[in-house]
Amino acid sequence: MKAVIQRVLKASVTIGGQKVANINSGILVLLGIVSDDSQEDIKWLSNKISNLRIFSDNDGVMNTSLLQTQGDAIVVSQFTLHASTKKGNRPSYIHAAKPDLAIPLYEAFVQQLEIDLSKKVQTGQFGADMKVEMLNDGPVTIIIDTKDKA
C-alpha cells in the first residue's frame, strides 16, 4: 500500500456535483493498493497514519498526531499512485490491484483507521470520477509505502 498523507485545513470530495465528504482540520489520505497487500499492511499503515506527528504542539513544533488532535480524515482510493513511468510517456497501472481485490482492502483500511482513531472516517467512492478539493496546511505532505516498513 502506498499513501499520500496531506495535512489539511479543509478537504472535500465531490462526485457528480454532490459533495460526499467534507472535513475541516485533519488529513486527506490518497491510498493506492497493489495485489500483494495484506491485513498486516492495513494495520501497520493505519497505526502509522494515526500516530504520525505532523500537527503542531503548543510550541509550534510538529509533535502531535491526528489521534491526539482528534482531527478528521478523508480516505480516497487512488490507483494512479502505483503508476509506472519507466517506458514511454503513458503511465502503466499494471501493479495496481484490480477492483475485486482492491475494494475489500480499501474498505478494511478505512475500518481499521476508524478503529485506530475512534471516530468515523469519511471517504470518496472507489472507482468514481471524484473531484478532490483541499487546502494543504503547511504545506505538509508525507508519502508512506508499506513495502518500505522494514
Side-chain angles (χ1 to χ4, degrees), residues 6-117:
Q6 297 181 318
R7 186 178 76 183
V8 299
L9 293 175
K10 64 180 178 176
S12 64
V13 178
T14 302
I15 302 172
Q18 187 82 11
K19 197 172 279 193
V20 298
N22 189 41
I23 65 168
N24 287 315
S25 181
I27 61 170
L28 170 65
V29 178
L30 305 175
L31 183 68
I33 298 169
V34 294
S35 58
D36 64 346
D37 285 330
S38 67
Q39 279 299 127
E40 179 185 323
D41 293 314
I42 289 168
K43 288 180 180 177
W44 182 87
L45 184 59
S46 177
N47 181 64
K48 180 65 84 173
I49 290 172
S50 299
N51 292 290
L52 198 61
R53 297 183 332 187
I54 60 172
F55 293 89
S56 297
D57 63 16
N58 292 335
D59 296 323
V61 177
M62 284 197 298
N63 200 28
T64 308
S65 69
L66 183 65
L67 186 59
Q68 292 168 311
T69 64
Q70 299 181 339
D72 293 321
I74 295 179
V75 178
V76 174
S77 63
Q78 190 165 5
F79 73 94
T80 59
L81 290 178
H82 291 288
S84 174
T85 57
K86 289 183 180 183
K87 292 184 180 179
N89 292 319
R90 182 172 183 198
S92 168
Y93 305 106
I94 195 164
H95 298 295
K98 303 290 184 248
D100 62 324
L101 177 64
I103 292 171
L105 290 172
Y106 169 76
E107 291 172 349
F109 174 79
V110 170
Q111 290 174 348
Q112 184 63 53
L113 191 58
E114 288 178 337
I115 291 167
D116 289 346
L117 293 174

